[in-house]
Amino acid sequence: MNAIAPGYCETDMVEAVPEDVLKGIVASIPVARLGCPQDVAQLVSLLASEQASFITGAIFDVNGGQWMP
C-alpha cells in the first residue's frame, strides 16, 4: 500500500480561506503556488500503473516543498 499526502491545492475548501491568509500560505510554499488536482492525479496514475509495481509502503508528499521530512 502507498499513501498520497497532498498539501494545499486549488479546491473549493482552500479557495474559501480569506485572501490574506491564503497569501501567507502560498508564501510558505517553496514553489510559490497552490497545487492543482492534476498534480495529485498524475501521481495516482503513476502509482496505479505497472511502472510503479515495485513501489510499496511509501508516503508521497505532494505539497510543493512546504513540508519536507
Side-chain angles (χ1 to χ4, degrees), residues 35-47:
C36 62
Q38 291 82 4
D39 294 324
V40 177
Q42 288 175 359
L43 179 57
V44 170
S45 179
L46 172 68
L47 292 174

Side-chain angles (χ1 to χ4, degrees), residues 32 34 51-52 62:
L34 295 173
Q51 293 173 318
V62 182

Side-chain angles (χ1 to χ4, degrees), residues 4-30:
I4 299 173
Y8 290 99
C9 290
E10 296 171 346
T11 62
D12 292 342
M13 183 178 76
V14 172
E15 289 175 1
V17 172
E19 189 170 337
D20 59 325
V21 174
L22 193 55
K23 284 182 182 181
I25 291 169
V26 171
S28 72
I29 301 172

